[in-house]
Amino acid sequence: AHCLREMGGERRHAFVGGTEECLTRLEAAVREMRPGIQIAGGVSPPCGQRGEAADVAVVEAIRALKADVVWLA
């Protein structure tokens, strides 16, 4: 929370981890705490899937967001 309050609004943030519902709730909470924050989006990696193909898909999804800061959970 402290880090988000201190960061300038010019950076684009992305959140990675948890469920889609969790990411939606997190985004709403962050927007309330830091109005005007630029949120590029979020990625909810498939639970339980392992392997290079799954890892590559997650990395590509993160890159596609073009975020300056990526928060991992």
Side-chain angles (χ1 to χ4, degrees), residues 1 23 26 31 46 49-50 56 69:
L23 290 172
L26 175 62
R31 287 190 187 284
Q49 285 190 343
R50 300 282 185 218
V56 168
V69 180

Side-chain angles (χ1 to χ4, degrees), residues 15 19-32:
F15 303 104
T19 63
E20 289 292 333
E21 178 186 354
C22 179
L23 290 172
T24 299
R25 291 174 49 204
L26 175 62
E27 182 176 333
V30 168
R31 287 190 187 284
E32 183 176 319

